[in-house]
Amino acid sequence: MHSGHYVFAQITKFLPKRFFERLTVKYDDRTRGWSLSHWNHLLDLMFGQLLGCRSLRELTDITVAHANKSFFLGFGKGCINRQIRSKANAIRDYRIFEEFAFHMVAIAQSKRITREFELHGRFYAVDSTTIDLCLSVFRWAKFRTSKSGIRIHTQIDIVTEIPVFYRITNAQVHDVNSMDWFTYEPLACYVFDRGNFDLARLYKINSSGAFFIIREKFHPAYEIESGFDFEEKGDNVLRDQTVRFTGKRNKTNYPTSIRRIVYYSPELRRTFTYYTNNFHLEAKNIALLYKNRWQVELFFKWIKQHLRVKTFWGECENAVRVQIHVAIITYCLIGIVEHDMQINRPIVEVMRILGSSLLTKDDAKDLLAPFKQTLEKQDDRQLSFDFHFD
C-alpha cells in the first residue's frame, strides 16, 4: 500500500483532516495565517511523539537533517525552526487539539469495539497518573511546597484499549473526585483501583444501574450474609461472599449488600480482595477483569515515557495541554491503524515498531505483520529461488 510513501505519511492518511480543518475555523485564533499551519503543526508534533523526542531542540535537529523530506512527511515546504514551534505551542488554542483528540477517541472506540474479549459486555478501567514537574519552571501547576505536577484522570475501554474519557487537572485533585465526572452506562462495568475506594460514590454507581469492581483499601467491618470458602469453589478463589457493612459510617454510605471476593494470584504469589455489586459474573471472571487493568497502566507508561519532565516542549499551561492532547491523538491513531490493517497486535507494540520506521518507505502493513508470517514469506521466496536455481 502507498508504494513510495514514507511510513509516517502512510499512517497519517488515517487522520480525519477535514474535521480538523473545521475546528481551526471554529476556534479562529490569531495564528491561523502563519506559515506553519495548524495541520502541519499537528503532524510535526505527532512525528516528535512517535520518535520519542525529548525536546523541541531534538525534534528540530532531526527534521532539519531530513529537510528534503519535509513536504512528503506533511510538514509543508521548508524547515520549521524551534522558535516557531515554541511560539505555536504557547499561543495556539489548545481546545482545537482537545476537541480533535476526543473525536479521535470516538473513531477508535467505534472501530475497535468489535474486538473479541473473554467476556461479553462493556468494561472500563478507571485510574489516574501524576506527572511531576519542576516548581521553578511550571509555577502554574504548583502541587506541593517543593514541586509542581499535573494529573491525568482516564477511563479506558478494556476491550478496545482506547481512552474514552480523560481530564487534565492539577495534581492536588484526588482520584475520588474523578468519579463524579463520568456518565455511568447501565449494565456497564467499571474497574477501579483502591485509590477510588469511596463507598458513597460507589453506591451512586450501583443506583445508576452500572456495575463496579474495586480493590479493598482498608478492612471495613462487615457481617456475612452468605458465601463459601476455597474448599468448595477452587479456581484460586479463596472467598466469595455476600456481605453487609456494619460500621456506622460505612453502613450509611453503602446501605445494601455487596459482594466480597478474595482471590489468590499464583503469578504474583499474593492475595487480593475485591468488592463488587455484580452478582452475575463468576468470581474468577471478576478477578480477570481487575487483572485487565494492566491496559490502563500500559497507557500511562507510554504517556509518561513521552511526557517526562525534560520532554515537555513548553513551559506554559497551553503548551503542556497541547502536547498531552497530541499524545492522545497519536495513541488513538495507532489504534485505528492497527484495526484497519487487521494487525491484531497491542497498540503499544505497533507504536514501537512504527516509531522506529517513520522515515523508511516500507509498506507499513508488512512491517507490522507477525514475525511468524514474515518468516513464512521468506521461506516461500527461498523455495521459489531454489527451484529456479535447480
Side-chain angles (χ1 to χ4, degrees):
M1 73 178 273
H2 301 288
S3 177
H5 289 196
Y6 294 106
V7 168
F8 182 72
Q10 292 178 44
I11 63 177
T12 53
K13 292 288 186 182
F14 290 85
L15 289 170
K17 184 177 180 180
R18 289 186 178 180
F19 182 85
F20 184 82
E21 290 174 341
R22 288 198 295 269
L23 291 178
T24 62
V25 175
K26 177 180 177 181
Y27 300 98
D28 189 10
D29 61 23
R30 55 178 172 154
T31 69
R32 193 177 175 194
W34 285 14
S35 58
L36 177 62
S37 69
H38 289 79
W39 181 251
N40 297 150
H41 185 201
L42 171 66
L43 295 188
D44 181 64
L45 294 178
M46 292 180 67
F47 184 77
Q49 289 283 352
L50 287 169
L51 278 180
C53 294
R54 296 173 177 269
S55 65
L56 283 183
R57 187 180 299 277
E58 181 179 349
L59 175 58
T60 302
D61 290 343
I62 292 173
T63 53
V64 168
H66 296 278
N68 60 326
K69 305 180 182 72
S70 180
F71 178 79
F72 303 101
L73 292 171
F75 308 151
K77 296 180 179 180
C79 298
I80 308 170
N81 62 49
R82 185 167 56 90
Q83 289 74 21
I84 292 177
R85 284 189 173 97
S86 179
K87 196 170 182 180
N89 288 343
I91 295 177
R92 277 192 167 145
D93 197 330
Y94 74 86
R95 293 176 296 176
I96 298 173
F97 301 92
E98 181 181 54
E99 192 166 335
F100 189 64
F102 279 111
H103 183 69
M104 290 293 292
V105 163
I107 294 175
Q109 176 76 359
S110 63
K111 284 179 176 289
R112 296 173 61 84
I113 197 63
T114 57
R115 289 171 62 88
E116 294 184 0
F117 188 62
E118 292 92 328
L119 306 175
H120 296 288
R122 301 296 294 270
F123 306 102
Y124 301 102
V126 178
D127 205 350
S128 70
T129 186
T130 300
I131 301 175
D132 294 330
L133 305 172
C134 178
L135 180 60
S136 62
V137 178
F138 301 90
R139 293 188 178 276
W140 53 268
K142 185 176 180 180
F143 175 29
R144 294 174 181 164
T145 55
S146 59
K147 64 180 179 179
S148 295
I150 59 173
R151 181 167 291 180
I152 307 176
H153 305 267
T154 310
Q155 174 188 343
I156 282 190
D157 189 317
I158 291 177
V159 180
T160 66
E161 306 175 19
I162 295 296
V164 297
F165 174 87
Y166 69 95
R167 179 174 290 187
I168 305 166
T169 68
N170 189 285
Q172 292 177 336
V173 178
H174 197 272
D175 285 350
V176 295
N177 295 322
S178 67
M179 299 173 73
D180 300 328
W181 304 333
F182 305 125
T183 301
Y184 296 99
E185 303 175 24
L187 303 181
C189 187
Y190 296 81
V191 186
F192 298 95
D193 195 16
R194 57 182 180 176
N196 295 88
F197 199 95
D198 184 292
L199 292 178
R201 288 180 166 91
L202 292 175
Y203 186 69
K204 288 182 180 179
I205 298 175
N206 180 72
S207 302
S208 69
F211 299 114
F212 64 82
I213 300 170
I214 192 166
R215 184 178 160 197
E216 184 180 68
K217 185 177 182 180
F218 52 91
H219 301 289
Y222 61 86
E223 60 182 8
I224 301 175
E225 296 183 339
S226 62
F228 45 82
D229 57 25
F230 67 96
E231 294 180 352
E232 300 172 0
K233 186 64 178 176
D235 295 326
N236 295 315
V237 177
L238 306 184
R239 298 286 186 275
D240 187 357
Q241 306 165 324
T242 300
V243 303
R244 187 181 291 266
F245 296 115
T246 56
K248 183 177 180 180
R249 183 176 179 181
N250 293 339
K251 185 177 181 180
T252 301
N253 291 336
Y254 202 97
T256 189
S257 300
I258 192 170
R259 189 179 181 187
R260 181 177 183 269
I261 296 171
V262 181
Y263 177 81
Y264 175 75
S265 173
E267 299 88 357
L268 301 177
R269 297 183 180 180
R270 56 181 298 190
T271 300
F272 296 92
T273 301
Y274 310 118
Y275 287 96
T276 180
N277 64 336
N278 191 318
F279 292 86
H280 309 290
L281 288 175
E282 293 185 31
K284 64 178 182 180
N285 289 332
I286 297 294
L288 171 67
L289 283 172
Y290 193 87
K291 182 179 179 180
N292 273 274
R293 285 188 67 262
W294 65 269
Q295 291 179 6
V296 73
E297 301 298 338
L298 282 179
F299 173 73
F300 288 149
K301 181 180 179 181
W302 182 83
I303 285 288
K304 285 192 171 183
Q305 283 176 344
H306 290 75
L307 299 178
R308 286 172 289 188
V309 176
K310 292 184 180 179
T311 64
F312 273 109
W313 301 340
E315 299 175 1
C316 68
E317 181 177 1
N318 192 84
V320 171
R321 287 183 177 273
V322 166
Q323 187 175 345
I324 293 175
H325 294 316
V326 171
I328 301 293
I329 293 168
T330 306
Y331 185 89
C332 291
L333 171 65
I334 301 304
I336 293 169
V337 169
E338 188 278 334
H339 170 271
D340 288 359
M341 289 187 178
Q342 300 179 346
I343 304 302
N344 195 27
R345 299 179 77 163
I347 293 178
V348 175
E349 190 175 301
V350 173
M351 195 173 303
R352 188 183 303 121
I353 296 170
L354 293 178
S356 63
S357 311
L358 297 179
L359 294 173
T360 68
K361 290 188 177 182
D362 299 314
D363 190 302
K365 189 169 184 178
D366 289 343
L367 285 172
L368 298 170
F371 184 64
K372 182 179 179 181
Q373 181 179 339
T374 303
L375 288 180
E376 289 175 353
K377 288 185 178 180
Q378 291 177 350
D379 292 341
D380 291 342
R381 287 196 295 268
Q382 183 64 37
L383 287 173
S384 176
F385 174 78
D386 293 341
F387 177 78
H388 184 269
F389 182 77
D390 292 338

